Amino acid sequence: MAHFPPQLLEQIRAASDIVDVIGAALPLKRAGSNFVSLCPFHKEKSPSFNVHPGKQIFHCFGCQKGGDVFKFVQLYENITFPEAVARLAERARIPIETEENPAARQTRGLKDALLKLHEAITKRWQQCLENEAAGQVARDYLARRGVSPDAVREFRLGAAPEAWDDTVNWAKAQGFDADLCEQAGLILRKEETGRLYDRFRGRLMFPICDEQGRVIAFSGRVLSGDEKVAKYVNSPETPLFTKGRVLFALDKAKRAILDAGHAVICEGQLDTIACHSAGIRNVVAPQGTALTPEHARILKRYVDEVVLCFDGDKAGRNASIRSFDGLLGSGLAVRVATIPPPDDPDSFIRQHGAESFRGILGASQGYFDFLLKHLMLENDATTDRGRTAVVRGLAEAVNKTGNAVLVDTYAQKAAQRLGVNVDAVRSEFRKARRAVSSEPGPEEFEPPPEFEEGSGPMPPAPALETWLLKYVLLTPELSHFAALHLDPQWVTHPVVRRVIALHFAFGGDVAGLLGQFEGDDHARTLVAEAAAERRSIPEPEKQLADTIIRLRNAAYDRDIVQLTARMSDPDASEEA
């Protein structure tokens, strides 16, 4: 955890009046010398949430939560203490110098400049949409789509004029450097001539915000109907924006997600805006990409369940199926809401209303039930070929969970739907599991016998754990994912376990990791061989998630065996 000097924390606390901070999130009413509100942390009808300006604390007499301004931000935003400190410091414009690193200060300065530029161009495009003739086409489009003026203001929608140099000229007039605008992806440079021109032209503009509500990128929808241009153009990845780590509207939805206990995931911005406008505010959308493990990790901070709600057509169903791999390994429960085709959430809400849409969300089914239904629709179950395709498709997906109960449950459901013997389906599921195991990557896991230091030569590491080490050392992103989801105690080989634990603790490059094992030739050889892996690994994120799940399940199986043995031992004490 980051360490902050006491004087810095006191400076930030003094600059963050608790009434102002909480009042920006909750409607406060004065009650004598204090303020009261309905508590945001539990449901109540009478306000028991108190804010004390003199003491600069809050306390709820209903749920007993309380603390200072840092604690409120932690609880309300569902973030860590260092993150709360950083957000309040930024609000108060107090720099946090965690290290005297010129490169770090330079990066921070670039990000601050990009944030300032994004905020300014957002206001420019808002003005164009609201008042200028160049925004008329966008205004007409929004009216046809039933997007209310309140939604336009809340989501800060804008319009980029149909001109090659509007943003170029605006940036010059406002004193923004052209190189900075290029880094932000707002303007492009023609290679042959060096001439600058706008990336976004004649488009309805959707600002993309981070979890703090700061504009970090844009998505622009074409309005001309020209089939030769992309329907949507998005900002490129920048120091502020990585599309696989950003969910549209999360800044507005996170409180509602916590209250609802689940997040609804739509495909696009207009679907998400329609849901919010209908009062269904626990809704987000991936930003121009399929769901990623990082998206799942972000949502897992808030809830344990997500509902996929994509378009009602075949493409929407396929998108739901593709999304599962991104959610795999996160521990999130996944349900799927099915909208009758050809509607999407936006059109369904406009035609049938918010309550009917809530009904669809309430009737959402578990992912594997949805998948079985989809496979039955896509294949002719009266033929051998169709039945085989259904079983293989379902087996491939459910085996990824590594959950024996789920595997057997859906073997039974598939057998019932197809009218075949359940043992035959179970056999096919086992074949599918072995087929997955034979792909490039880890082999079937067989833990080695117990080994005691000094009892002889160290046995080789199991193939599954060797592959785990390769994945962890492949990229920082995979290492970060493993650190979030892997308990090193699930690893049976003592050297692999020690290497991974040290890597998680200290990070750094392979050279630094090798330095941790001076004199331990076995560990150094293991690290060097894993880091030297040069074979192309297909879908490494999926492979790593599968590996972690199998290690976890094997660890649970070992625990069950030990507990069963203890329970069957007549000499075992009750404490054992």
Side-chain angles (χ1 to χ4, degrees):
M1 179 178 289
H3 175 72
F4 301 103
Q7 60 270 25
L8 174 63
L9 294 178
E10 190 54 43
Q11 181 186 6
I12 296 170
R13 185 183 287 108
S16 304
D17 182 79
I18 197 166
V19 175
D20 291 340
V21 173
I22 296 180
L26 305 176
L28 295 178
K29 292 183 179 180
R30 181 171 285 280
S33 60
N34 299 328
F35 292 86
V36 297
S37 177
L38 293 175
C39 180
F41 308 122
H42 80 285
K43 295 188 181 299
E44 60 178 7
K45 295 182 179 179
S46 300
S48 57
F49 183 87
N50 283 251
V51 182
H52 304 266
K55 298 179 180 179
Q56 287 292 296
I57 62 171
F58 73 94
H59 180 76
C60 176
F61 292 96
C63 65
Q64 304 304 313
K65 286 186 171 64
D68 63 3
V69 68
F70 295 117
K71 188 64 175 180
F72 176 80
V73 174
Q74 268 189 270
L75 293 173
Y76 190 79
E77 300 285 351
N78 195 37
I79 57 179
T80 64
F81 176 73
E83 289 172 325
V85 172
R87 293 198 182 181
L88 287 170
E90 183 169 11
R91 178 182 181 275
R93 299 189 180 280
I94 296 173
I96 298 179
E97 295 293 342
T98 56
E99 56 179 339
E100 292 299 323
N101 185 332
R105 288 198 296 271
Q106 184 178 9
T107 299
R108 181 68 259 171
L110 173 59
K111 289 183 176 180
D112 289 341
L114 288 170
L115 286 170
K116 182 178 179 181
L117 172 60
H118 280 82
E119 177 63 24
I121 193 65
T122 298
K123 292 178 178 178
R124 155 74 191 123
W125 285 330
Q126 283 182 287
Q127 176 69 20
C128 178
L129 176 63
E130 185 175 357
N131 296 318
E132 296 180 17
Q136 186 61 51
V137 176
R139 291 193 291 272
D140 293 342
Y141 175 81
L142 290 171
R144 289 195 305 272
R145 295 296 298 259
V147 181
S148 70
D150 287 343
V152 170
R153 286 190 291 271
E154 180 183 4
F155 286 87
R156 304 187 68 185
L157 304 187
E162 182 66 77
W164 288 91
D165 57 0
D166 185 84
T167 300
V168 172
N169 293 333
W170 169 86
K172 185 176 181 180
Q174 296 295 316
F176 287 108
D177 184 73
D179 289 339
L180 182 68
C181 294
E182 273 195 272
Q183 284 187 279
L186 297 175
I187 63 177
L188 302 169
R189 188 181 299 271
K190 199 173 182 65
E191 289 186 9
E192 298 83 0
T193 63
R195 184 177 68 86
L196 299 173
Y197 63 96
D198 296 359
R199 177 186 293 273
F200 300 104
R201 306 179 302 279
R203 291 179 180 268
L204 174 65
M205 299 304 299
F206 297 86
I208 310 302
C209 300
D210 62 11
E211 290 181 61
Q212 296 172 248
R214 303 175 302 182
V215 181
I216 57 173
F218 297 94
S219 181
R221 191 196 192 285
V222 70
L223 297 170
S224 63
D226 187 350
E227 296 181 357
K228 296 181 180 179
V229 299
K231 186 176 181 180
Y232 281 91
V233 168
N234 299 315
S235 293
E237 297 200 349
T238 70
L240 293 179
F241 175 61
T242 303
K243 63 182 180 180
R245 298 178 181 175
V246 177
L247 288 160
F248 178 72
L250 181 58
D251 58 309
K252 300 170 181 63
K254 55 191 177 184
R255 188 70 240 170
I257 288 172
L258 285 168
D259 292 341
H262 67 274
V264 178
I265 304 175
C266 290
E267 281 191 84
Q269 291 101 345
L270 285 171
D271 289 335
T272 305
I273 291 172
C275 291
H276 280 247
S277 298
I280 305 165
R281 300 188 64 85
N282 58 321
V283 183
V284 295
Q287 186 50 52
T289 183
L291 284 170
T292 67
E294 188 69 16
H295 287 143
R297 185 189 68 80
I298 292 169
L299 291 172
K300 181 65 176 175
R301 295 207 315 258
Y302 296 94
V303 287
D304 293 320
E305 183 178 57
V306 297
V307 178
L308 302 177
C309 186
F310 296 160
D311 294 357
D313 56 12
K314 181 178 178 179
R317 296 197 303 272
N318 287 334
S320 296
I321 292 167
R322 288 194 304 273
S323 297
F324 177 68
D325 280 350
L327 298 170
L328 181 69
S330 66
L332 287 167
V334 182
R335 291 187 285 131
V336 181
T338 304
I339 298 177
D343 280 329
D344 54 30
D346 176 28
S347 63
F348 186 90
I349 290 172
R350 281 189 279 121
Q351 292 184 40
H352 304 284
E355 287 309 308
S356 294
F357 185 70
R358 289 181 190 275
I360 283 180
L361 294 178
S364 57
Q365 57 190 156
Y367 174 80
F368 294 110
D369 289 309
F370 160 81
L371 177 60
L372 178 56
K373 182 178 179 181
H374 171 76
L375 291 168
M376 294 292 290
L377 287 173
E378 292 296 306
N379 298 279
D380 183 359
T382 65
T383 67
D384 293 340
R385 182 177 181 179
R387 287 189 291 270
T388 300
V390 170
V391 171
R392 286 180 177 172
L394 185 61
E396 180 182 349
V398 77
N399 274 323
K400 292 176 183 178
T401 68
N403 186 312
V405 174
L406 277 178
V407 170
D408 193 65
T409 296
Y410 284 95
Q412 294 181 55
K413 287 189 176 185
Q416 185 178 16
R417 291 291 300 273
L418 294 170
V420 298
N421 184 279
V422 66
D423 289 333
V425 177
R426 286 175 176 140
S427 176
E428 291 302 313
F429 272 36
R430 286 192 293 271
K431 289 180 184 177
R433 185 177 62 186
R434 288 194 293 270
V436 170
S437 301
S438 66
E439 293 175 357
E443 300 170 7
E444 283 296 320
F445 178 59
E446 294 182 9
E450 291 295 322
F451 176 80
E452 296 182 7
E453 300 269 355
S455 63
M458 179 73 70
L464 190 71
E465 296 181 359
T466 301
W467 274 100
L468 172 70
L469 190 57
K470 291 176 182 178
Y471 297 141
V472 168
L473 298 180
L474 188 62
T475 66
E477 290 75 19
L478 290 178
S479 176
H480 179 63
F481 178 86
L484 289 171
H485 297 93
L486 175 73
D487 182 346
Q489 294 306 311
W490 298 341
V491 179
T492 61
H493 196 274
V495 178
V496 178
R497 183 168 60 244
R498 192 161 69 247
V499 168
I500 286 177
L502 280 171
H503 183 58
F504 286 170
F506 300 105
D509 55 17
V510 174
L513 184 60
L514 287 170
Q516 301 284 337
F517 296 101
E518 290 293 342
D520 188 339
D521 292 340
H522 192 111
R524 290 174 64 84
T525 300
L526 195 63
V527 171
E529 288 179 352
E533 175 64 43
R534 287 294 178 265
R535 278 181 289 177
S536 176
I537 301 174
E539 299 181 293
E541 298 88 354
K542 169 182 171 294
Q543 297 272 17
L544 174 58
D546 288 346
T547 299
I548 291 174
I549 288 172
R550 290 160 69 185
L551 286 169
R552 179 201 65 191
N553 292 344
Y556 290 171
D557 289 342
R558 292 195 297 275
D559 290 343
I560 290 171
V561 169
Q562 291 176 2
L563 287 171
T564 302
R566 289 179 185 176
M567 293 172 66
S568 62
D569 185 355
D571 297 325
S573 67
E574 291 186 3
E575 294 181 356

